Amino acid sequence: MEEEPRIGVFICNCGINIGGVVNVEEVAEYATTLPNVVVSRSSLYTCSDRGQGMIKDDIDEFKLNRVVVASCSPRMHEPTFRKVVEEKGLNKYVFEQANLREHVSWVHSKQPEEATEKAKDLVRMAVAKARLLESLPQHLVDVKGEALVIGGGISGLTAAKSIADRGFKVHLVEKTPNFGGKMAQLYKVYPTFDDPQELLNPLVENIMAHPNIVPYLSAEIADIEGYIGNYRAIIREQTEEKEIEFGTIIVATGFNAYDPTGEFNYGKHQNILTILELHQLMKADGPTQGNLVTPAEGKPPRSIALISCVGSRQNENTVPEGKKPNVYCSRVCCTGMIATSMEIKEKASDADIFVLYRDLRTHGKGHEELFSEFRQTGSTMIRYTDDLLPMVSITQGAEYPLSVTSYDSLSGLNVEIPVDLVVLATGMIPDDSASNIASKLHITMSADGFFQELHPKLAPLDSVTDGVYLAGTAQGPKDVPDSVSQSLGAAAKACAPMALGQVEVESTISVIDEDFCTGCGVCQGSCEFSAIVFEERPEGKRVSKVIEALCKGCGTCGSSCPSAAITMLHFKDAQLDAMVKAALSRSPGG
Amino acid sequence: MSEKSVLVIGAGVTGIQAALDVANQGIKTYLVEKTPSVGGHMAQLDKTFPTLDCSACILTPKMVDVARHPNIELLTYSEVKEVSGAAGDFTVKIETKPRYIDATKCTGCGHCALHCPVEVLNDFDENIGVRRAIYVPFPQAVPLVYTIDMDNCIECELCKNICEAEAVNFDQESEEIEVNVGSIILATGYDLFDATKLKNYGYGSYDNVLSSLEFERLLSASGPAGGHVFRLSDGKIPRRIAFLQCVGSRDTEHGMPYCSRVCCMYAIKNAILAKDHIHGGCETTIFYIDVRAFGKGFEEFYQNSQIRFGVKFVRGKVGEIAEDVDTNNLIVRVEDTETGQLFEDEFDMVVLSSGLVPSQGSAEINKILNLPIDQYGFFEELNRISPVDTKIEGVYMAGVCESVKDIPDGVGQASAAAMRASLKAI
Amino acid sequence: MVETKEIIKETECEFEPKIIGFLCNWCSYAGADLAGTSRVQYPPNIRIVRVMCTGRLDPQLILNTFRYGADGVLIAGCHEGDCHYIGGNYRAYRKYILLKEFVKRMGINEKRLRLEWVSASEGERFAKVVREMVDNIKEIGPSPFGVTITGGVVEDEPEPKI
């Protein structure tokens, strides 16, 4: 049975902030004339201990079941007053606040009469809504204390270890036969010239022996479903399939190196390499035992050119036919290229090195200092421009197998350099598995193709779906220390709901009335959070259903439904309608 | 809740994020900030790159979260005085300075400040605007509690008489508490490079040569100019603004050799905002060495600044700035390295994209902690794959106090430090 | 149904428009708050209804608002790309475009319906938008609809006052 609303109205003076303009007594008096208002008072500072105490006393004395406070902005004190009513056993959603300060006294300070009338209108509106407010249950979703980490490169490894150290079980899934990812393929890590294996080995050993980590190699995710705290997935490890349940997910699918086929004659001559390929050559266990020799001739290179921004900072004019330009900067290549040049100089001290760049982005910790060191090596730097890319030609029968021509914007000259070796500083692109993972997990990609974070500053590690976090280069190009930082951070995000064992999801959510729903799916198309799905009903009927844990309560589905089947809790059509009627009401009844 | 706690020192956006990420795991967190409000430098910014979203809008919800969080004890206007012990068991003494205002009574109504007769240069506005001796640093301060700057107060007690909440207390004294924590996170941020060290740029002598933070305050809608950019010499609207890059950065002679990483982007952002805020048009030129637009969305922002907004770029490090004493206009002397031409150009205003250096706060806390620091004063990391661990176990770091970085990287690193710190607090 | 100039002449001196503003919690409501904190003054003609997102706004609600007698309706949300719920404001905009056409055909002067993107830092701008709307609507006069609402109940169906 519906209870009769018994509303208490409390008008605040806020010192003289409101009271100095609005006739607060008059407004409080006026409120008593509104239906269902059983008590109406004014106070000096409603948010103060004294003010809060007054509300609590009145809830008791007048058996209030709805409370309206007319004071400052709800963005300021709504949580404060919600707590007050909760302390008295009322649901926090039966509280409504009217803004008489930021929206009245502070902006109409020279018009006290009009301000008082407006205050009355706003109080009448708040009371109209309060009459129709309902208690809403707190939505708590259990969170299983297990995590899935997708990707076993440095990011996945770091995240997995942190979560496991924190005490939660981790399923670490890697699609290749080894952990280590692209970092393991590097010759060195810069600018400290560390051996990546030395950094990775202890971490991998720790993980293989960790009691809380279940590693899966040569494995992929066959299927996944669920929502935060309650996921289920099937992991296919070669031929075996295993079903697992877990609460949170870390996406650490890494990157792929850009394939420059079709540019700079890559693929047409053995001596035109990507920077990763060069690194393979320089490794002690590589095909030439770490000796730097040209692939075609097997001799030490006399002259080498390195070209930056291959596959990055492209525009419509510079990208090959049929390819979509990668506008973004890959962030790590400049430093990688400079450091690699120094490695080359170390291995082939007589070689002439030419670095062709656009802007030199050695921005990280210690990177600029490395660049200063590089400039002491006597290498030549050539600055080319956005639209005039260097050209690599294969010479026939000349002394040097390759030739690089470029415009140098600093000298204004066109240069032609005979070289033995061309190294292309290729950028990063998202890993192949990324779009598949995106659709399985309902997470989105940014314009650059990497996974999109919920907010670039407020939530750079959260994906748009609760419970799914982003780590490492899967989210965007970055180097090893930044990947590690981000992975630790993503682990912290995942640990929060798992540590608490439950997570509160929005109460003011969307509710679909199945009787009215025709299963048209328009609501699903309008939901950014993939919170609405189809469900089958008897006799082949299909309806839309809200996944409560994913609904954020924005109301976009509600306003799109052609069958008026959707109710937005706490912002119902009837409630908003009542507020508008109250605002435009010509008589005090409201 | 876990038995142990974590201490976060510094409540700019990085410290705030770290505290939230620890507290959200059910761990008690002490967040200590030496100024009267949380927020740090991010609260001074108008808009942030590369999305041009409003800085205060995205920061203030987090500021409010941190004040309300059941697991966070916020200690503003406070400083760490002593640290002893080891990872898992640190004992820390924290001193809260007297505001001379009872925080439990003050409602932040601002009536006192309206009547205070003393005007002082406002540090938050980079000394362009003024505040009263009784003040909040900015309107959205958290906690919204006034503070009396005793150095400038004349003790007329007008505020005390006016305050209806009876919150003013001239007898208030500093308070010291002792807490026991499992781990510590440093988020002590940065200061701006002092450009007076570069005599050739005239900062500090020429009225219309500004630092980047001064320009931010002019741009800010809640700043001393209400978002209208004007010249400090005569109040006129600048129509030609020059932005100089690498001021104090990439500079082995008079500044710091490292790259300050954020200046290219913030200069582009400020050039765009200048065009946006100044009605009737404004020409903006950025003098640079390399445009370091490396992060997510940065390159696109840089391209857009040229295509959509018409920001000009000249590749050349400015050699000298001279002032026209009659107009207070500035003459910039530079070599355009793309054409090889030396030239002079006149501007109404010059904004120096000053670099970021380790803060005074970092140096102060290190007198107590004695952490190894690099040659510039940034805290050293344990190794390449432990970027947020300092060399003392149990002490972690995040944000610019570790090395220069932008807000997304700082916030991400804050979460990383929270992860590491939480392992010592469970 | 066309609004005529006669009404304007009659009511010019005393007419104070009543404008209903639907503001989203995250951006425009905060912007209106900032106008307050900054003490920017604007005319007292607007009544604000807070919603979580402009995406919530059903065209039916807007039409009802006119039916109940609003002289103007302001929809204010986050700037493009800033929506707290990612794309709610875009969807609101799509509905608004169609709604604008619709109200015109219903004989409501299109100046009565306005959509603005106001960020949480644009207090000054919010005040400016309100001032402009009030001025514009004063020029065109009161709404042709004018139901009487007593006790929350609409008394009669709208009959244009022409």
Side-chain angles (χ1 to χ4, degrees):
Chain A
M1 196 183 84
E2 289 275 323
E3 53 172 5
E4 184 73 18
R6 294 179 62 79
I7 306 174
V9 178
F10 303 91
I11 321 279
C12 191
N13 272 279
C14 191
I16 60 158
N17 280 296
I18 298 176
V21 175
V22 171
N23 188 331
V24 167
E25 284 313 314
E26 204 180 299
V27 178
E29 186 62 45
Y30 169 70
T32 59
T33 67
L34 300 171
N36 302 111
V37 172
V38 299
V39 62
S40 168
R41 298 190 198 287
S42 67
S43 72
L44 196 57
Y45 292 109
T46 319
C47 58
S48 64
D49 280 332
R50 206 184 311 162
Q52 292 184 31
M54 180 179 75
I55 298 178
K56 288 192 233 182
D57 289 343
D58 278 353
I59 291 177
D60 281 339
E61 191 184 328
F62 294 93
K63 305 207 183 345
L64 303 178
N65 53 28
R66 309 273 189 284
V67 172
V68 169
V69 171
S71 58
C72 51
S73 170
R75 286 172 55 91
M76 177 119 201
H77 275 313
E78 187 172 64
T80 316
F81 294 123
R82 276 183 169 174
K83 241 207 215 147
V84 170
V85 307
E86 275 183 312
E87 277 168 32
K88 277 288 150 189
L90 293 176
N91 184 280
K92 63 181 179 181
Y93 293 103
V94 299
F95 167 75
E96 182 69 15
Q97 190 164 351
N99 187 337
L100 300 187
R101 190 179 73 171
E102 282 84 338
H103 289 190
V104 181
S105 63
W106 275 352
V107 290
H108 313 309
S109 43
K110 302 282 193 307
Q111 299 171 277
E113 279 169 25
E114 289 86 341
T116 304
E117 285 311 303
K118 181 170 172 177
K120 289 182 190 166
D121 283 355
L122 294 177
V123 168
R124 190 172 61 240
M125 287 162 74
V127 168
K129 183 167 179 188
R131 265 187 219 115
L132 300 173
L133 287 175
E134 292 164 342
S135 297
L136 298 180
Q138 194 187 26
H139 278 207
L140 291 171
V141 168
D142 280 337
V143 175
K144 195 170 169 73
E146 277 185 38
L148 170 69
V149 176
I150 309 176
I154 182 70
S155 298
L157 295 170
T158 304
K161 179 170 186 298
S162 291
I163 298 174
D165 283 346
R166 188 72 173 74
F168 304 110
K169 188 164 170 192
V170 179
H171 301 273
L172 175 57
V173 178
E174 164 57 37
K175 68 177 182 186
T176 71
N178 299 96
F179 286 128
K182 298 294 186 299
M183 182 179 164
Q185 293 177 19
L186 297 173
Y187 172 51
K188 295 268 179 64
V189 190
Y190 307 114
T192 46
F193 296 86
D194 290 312
D195 178 350
Q197 287 304 130
E198 275 177 28
L199 295 172
L200 281 169
N201 287 343
L203 184 55
V204 176
E205 270 168 35
N206 185 301
I207 281 177
M208 297 303 277
H210 205 299
N212 283 346
I213 301 182
V214 183
Y216 305 81
L217 288 164
S218 304
E220 58 172 21
I221 312 226
D223 198 21
I224 187 165
E225 56 161 27
Y227 52 87
I228 182 172
N230 303 273
Y231 284 106
R232 193 177 300 138
I234 297 177
I235 301 182
R236 192 178 297 135
E237 208 177 354
Q238 290 171 47
T239 48
E240 263 183 58
E241 278 192 7
K242 184 173 170 190
E243 190 175 301
I244 55 170
E245 285 178 8
F246 47 94
T248 57
I249 304 175
I250 307 248
V251 176
T253 46
F255 72 95
N256 253 345
Y258 180 78
D259 178 4
T261 304
E263 299 165 70
F264 304 106
N265 267 325
Y266 177 76
K268 302 273 177 50
H269 195 289
Q270 285 179 286
N271 289 1
I272 305 174
L273 304 170
T274 65
I275 199 163
L276 269 181
E277 286 166 347
L278 181 74
H279 272 239
Q280 303 312 305
L281 265 188
M282 294 199 288
K283 285 180 131 176
D285 56 358
T288 56
Q289 286 79 53
N291 294 315
L292 184 59
V293 291
T294 58
E297 301 86 0
K299 291 203 199 122
R302 299 160 289 178
S303 165
I304 302 130
L306 296 102
I307 304 179
S308 76
C309 306
V310 175
S312 312
R313 300 189 71 185
Q314 295 172 323
N315 59 46
E316 300 293 341
N317 303 326
T318 55
V319 71
E321 193 87 35
K323 267 187 178 173
K324 187 175 154 248
N326 290 337
V327 182
Y328 59 89
C329 164
S330 286
R331 189 169 169 142
V332 303
C333 336
C334 281
T335 299
M337 181 176 68
I338 296 296
T340 302
S341 306
M342 293 171 73
E343 300 274 29
I344 294 173
K345 197 72 179 169
E346 178 112 348
K347 290 191 182 274
S349 51
D350 290 331
D352 288 321
I353 299 181
F354 301 88
V355 171
L356 291 90
Y357 74 103
R358 282 165 58 178
D359 283 283
L360 202 70
R361 295 177 171 179
T362 48
H363 55 84
K365 188 173 187 175
H367 296 202
E368 184 67 31
E369 293 87 328
L370 182 74
F371 177 49
S372 298
E373 239 185 271
F374 164 78
R375 283 189 290 191
Q376 311 299 328
T377 61
S379 306
T380 309
M381 296 198 65
I382 295 160
R383 187 170 181 272
Y384 69 89
T385 61
D386 297 9
D387 279 342
L388 279 175
L389 299 187
M391 282 185 17
V392 176
S393 344
I394 301 169
T395 61
Q396 302 288 5
E399 205 198 322
Y400 290 82
L402 302 167
S403 168
V404 175
T405 42
S406 178
Y407 170 70
D408 176 28
S409 61
L410 299 183
S411 63
L413 301 169
N414 283 309
V415 296
E416 193 179 319
I417 316 161
V419 292
D420 283 319
L421 201 61
V422 168
V423 181
L424 303 173
T426 41
M428 292 186 178
I429 57 173
D431 185 72
D432 296 333
S433 62
S435 53
N436 194 332
I437 296 286
S439 58
K440 284 204 168 91
L441 298 179
H442 303 302
I443 58 179
T444 51
M445 321 288 249
S446 323
D448 56 14
F450 292 90
F451 290 113
Q452 184 173 40
E453 58 283 293
L454 184 59
H455 189 291
K457 283 177 201 64
L458 297 182
L461 311 174
D462 294 71
S463 75
V464 300
T465 302
D466 279 345
V468 181
Y469 310 96
L470 306 172
T473 52
Q475 182 260 350
K478 54 182 70 74
D479 62 12
V480 167
D482 285 348
S483 295
V484 170
S485 256
Q486 201 188 30
S487 310
L488 290 171
K493 297 287 184 194
C495 285
M498 294 196 294
L500 298 176
Q502 49 181 208
V503 70
E504 183 174 352
V505 292
E506 206 55 66
S507 293
T508 58
I509 55 175
S510 165
V511 177
I512 300 178
D513 187 336
E514 286 190 18
D515 291 336
F516 287 104
C517 176
T518 61
C520 70
V522 166
C523 53
Q524 292 186 35
S526 71
C527 180
E528 298 275 1
F529 303 96
S530 310
I532 309 182
V533 294
F534 282 127
E535 269 190 12
E536 299 300 323
R537 289 285 174 273
E539 285 128 47
K541 185 178 179 193
R542 180 179 76 167
V543 295
S544 288
K545 181 121 170 72
V546 176
I547 303 173
E548 292 181 355
L550 290 178
C551 176
K552 300 273 185 239
C554 69
T556 308
C557 57
S559 65
S560 308
C561 177
S563 314
I566 299 184
T567 304
M568 297 310 305
L569 296 178
H570 205 65
F571 292 94
K572 292 184 173 180
D573 285 341
Q575 290 164 345
L576 297 178
D577 196 75
M579 287 185 87
V580 173
K581 276 195 191 132
L584 296 165
S585 178
R586 260 86 161 151
S587 61
Chain B
M1 198 149 77
S2 75
E3 283 168 29
K4 295 195 192 167
S5 331
V6 173
L7 168 67
V8 178
I9 306 177
V13 66
T14 303
I16 288 172
Q17 185 64 51
L20 286 172
D21 281 324
V22 173
N24 283 341
Q25 292 186 50
I27 300 171
K28 164 100 192 225
T29 313
Y30 297 96
L31 178 56
V32 174
E33 166 57 41
K34 68 174 182 177
T35 69
S37 169
V38 304
H41 283 297
M42 189 174 168
Q44 289 178 296
L45 308 179
D46 176 34
K47 295 201 165 49
T48 58
F49 60 78
T51 43
L52 288 180
D53 45 14
C54 153
S55 182
C57 313
I58 57 181
L59 181 61
T60 42
K62 293 222 176 197
M63 288 166 58
V64 170
D65 275 348
V66 108
R68 283 199 212 289
H69 204 294
N71 295 344
I72 297 180
E73 191 169 325
L74 181 58
L75 299 157
T76 49
Y77 213 43
S78 306
E79 286 181 51
V80 169
K81 288 296 177 197
E82 213 179 279
V83 176
S84 57
D89 189 11
F90 289 109
T91 303
V92 182
K93 287 205 178 114
I94 303 168
E95 184 194 15
T96 300
K97 298 172 281 192
R99 291 176 192 259
Y100 306 103
I101 307 276
D102 184 344
T104 61
K105 291 188 180 155
C106 175
T107 61
C109 75
H111 214 37
C112 50
L114 281 173
H115 288 88
C116 174
V118 180
E119 254 185 19
V120 176
L121 285 176
N122 188 348
D123 188 50
F124 186 80
D125 279 337
E126 297 293 310
N127 298 335
I128 298 180
V130 290
R131 59 162 171 82
R132 304 301 166 99
I134 187 167
Y135 71 105
V136 283
F138 51 98
Q140 303 102 323
V142 168
L144 191 60
V145 174
Y146 275 72
T147 303
I148 297 181
D149 168 13
M150 261 313 172
D151 290 338
N152 290 294
C153 172
I154 56 172
E155 294 187 56
C156 66
E157 300 206 1
L158 256 172
C159 52
K160 185 166 177 186
N161 299 334
I162 286 274
C163 178
E164 302 214 12
E166 295 172 8
V168 180
N169 175 9
F170 283 95
D171 298 323
Q172 197 181 70
E173 284 177 4
S174 63
E175 276 176 36
E176 197 177 87
I177 60 167
E178 197 177 276
V179 301
N180 187 269
V181 298
S183 47
I184 300 174
I185 299 177
L186 299 171
T188 43
Y190 66 90
D191 287 336
L192 211 59
F193 172 78
D194 179 7
T196 54
K197 292 184 183 158
L198 302 174
K199 303 281 176 239
N200 51 335
Y201 286 165
Y203 178 69
S205 319
Y206 306 152
D207 285 337
N208 293 325
V209 173
L210 302 177
S211 76
S212 46
L213 273 177
E214 285 168 351
F215 193 66
E216 289 277 357
R217 293 315 297 151
L218 286 180
L219 283 173
S220 174
S222 57
H228 303 290
V229 181
F230 61 76
R231 290 174 10 129
L232 296 184
S233 64
D234 52 17
K236 288 199 186 136
I237 299 174
R239 297 287 171 200
R240 301 193 76 222
I241 306 180
F243 293 84
L244 273 53
Q245 300 310 106
C246 302
V247 174
S249 311
R250 299 185 76 181
D251 184 343
T252 45
E253 279 178 41
H254 305 286
M256 304 295 224
Y258 58 79
C259 165
S260 284
R261 226 172 172 191
V262 299
C263 330
C264 285
M265 290 305 293
Y266 78 51
I268 296 174
K269 173 208 51 151
N270 285 347
I272 292 175
L273 290 177
K275 279 176 174 283
D276 182 62
H277 287 229
I278 295 176
H279 300 298
C282 172
E283 230 180 77
T284 53
T285 308
I286 299 182
F287 293 92
Y288 72 98
I289 307 173
D290 292 285
V291 176
R292 292 183 168 179
F294 56 85
K296 191 163 189 174
F298 289 14
E299 180 69 33
E300 294 87 331
F301 189 69
Y302 168 41
Q303 297 299 335
N304 258 342
S305 72
Q306 297 171 288
I307 302 167
R308 257 182 76 190
F309 294 95
V311 175
K312 295 197 198 147
F313 288 83
V314 172
R315 190 180 184 281
K317 182 145 185 209
V318 169
E320 194 192 351
I321 300 178
E323 189 189 35
D324 177 330
V325 287
D326 296 319
T327 60
N328 293 119
N329 283 356
L330 303 142
I331 295 118
V332 166
R333 296 192 177 112
V334 64
E335 181 202 344
D336 181 343
T337 55
E338 280 182 322
T339 60
Q341 302 283 359
L342 242 69
F343 71 95
E344 269 184 18
D345 209 350
E346 194 169 310
F347 291 92
D348 301 333
M349 184 186 265
V350 167
V351 181
L352 302 177
S353 295
S354 315
L356 277 51
V357 302
S359 70
Q360 192 54 35
S362 291
E364 278 163 18
I365 194 69
N366 213 26
K367 287 191 191 124
I368 301 169
L369 291 172
N370 282 310
L371 285 164
I373 50 176
D374 67 13
Q375 69 265 50
Y376 314 120
F378 294 111
F379 298 117
E380 278 191 340
E381 74 263 24
L382 186 60
N383 60 45
R384 210 66 200 141
I385 53 172
S386 306
V388 297
D389 288 40
T390 65
K391 296 213 159 148
I392 297 182
E393 201 191 339
V395 180
Y396 307 98
M397 54 185 174
V400 184
C401 68
E402 181 266 321
S403 70
V404 187
K405 54 183 67 73
D406 55 30
I407 296 166
D409 286 345
V411 167
Q413 206 181 41
S415 302
M419 183 74 237
R420 297 293 297 149
S422 70
L423 292 175
K424 292 273 183 284
I426 45 167
Chain C
M1 286 193 301
V2 169
E3 299 183 37
T4 63
K5 290 268 184 222
E6 278 77 56
I7 298 176
I8 297 162
K9 283 206 203 107
E10 263 178 60
T11 56
E12 204 170 325
C13 315
E14 299 153 1
F15 169 51
E16 282 297 337
K18 224 163 194 185
I19 299 171
I20 305 291
F22 294 99
L23 270 51
C24 80
N25 180 64
W26 305 96
C27 289
S28 48
Y29 194 96
D33 277 355
L34 183 63
T37 353
S38 316
R39 313 295 200 272
V40 179
Q41 304 295 300
Y42 56 85
N45 302 66
I46 190 167
R47 304 288 177 270
I48 292 169
V49 175
R50 181 167 75 134
V51 290
M52 293 316 281
C53 178
T54 47
R56 169 71 187 87
L57 298 170
D58 197 321
Q60 188 65 62
L61 174 64
I62 310 293
L63 292 173
N64 274 351
T65 305
F66 280 117
R67 176 171 164 247
Y68 298 147
D71 299 305
V73 173
L74 171 67
I75 300 171
C78 302
H79 283 272
E80 290 144 359
D82 286 349
C83 178
H84 187 83
Y85 305 99
I86 306 173
N89 58 349
Y90 290 128
R91 299 201 161 84
Y93 189 64
R94 297 208 298 234
K95 294 185 180 110
Y96 165 76
I97 300 284
L98 207 56
L99 199 55
K100 262 296 232 203
E101 272 309 302
F102 210 66
V103 301
K104 268 193 279 192
R105 287 154 209 260
M106 285 174 64
I108 299 173
N109 188 311
E110 59 155 347
K111 283 192 184 163
R112 299 191 188 278
L113 176 62
R114 184 166 168 175
L115 181 144
E116 281 293 337
W117 300 140
V118 176
S119 88
S121 65
E122 291 181 310
E124 184 69 68
R125 186 150 169 273
F126 175 75
K128 182 164 168 267
V129 167
V130 174
R131 271 184 231 121
E132 278 174 12
M133 267 194 98
V134 171
D135 287 343
N136 289 344
I137 297 174
K138 273 187 176 167
E139 268 178 43
I140 60 179
S143 160
F145 299 99
V147 296
T148 314
I149 305 176
T150 315
V153 176
V154 172
E155 280 197 5
D156 38 44
E157 280 308 301
E159 184 101 89
K161 287 202 196 99
I162 296 159

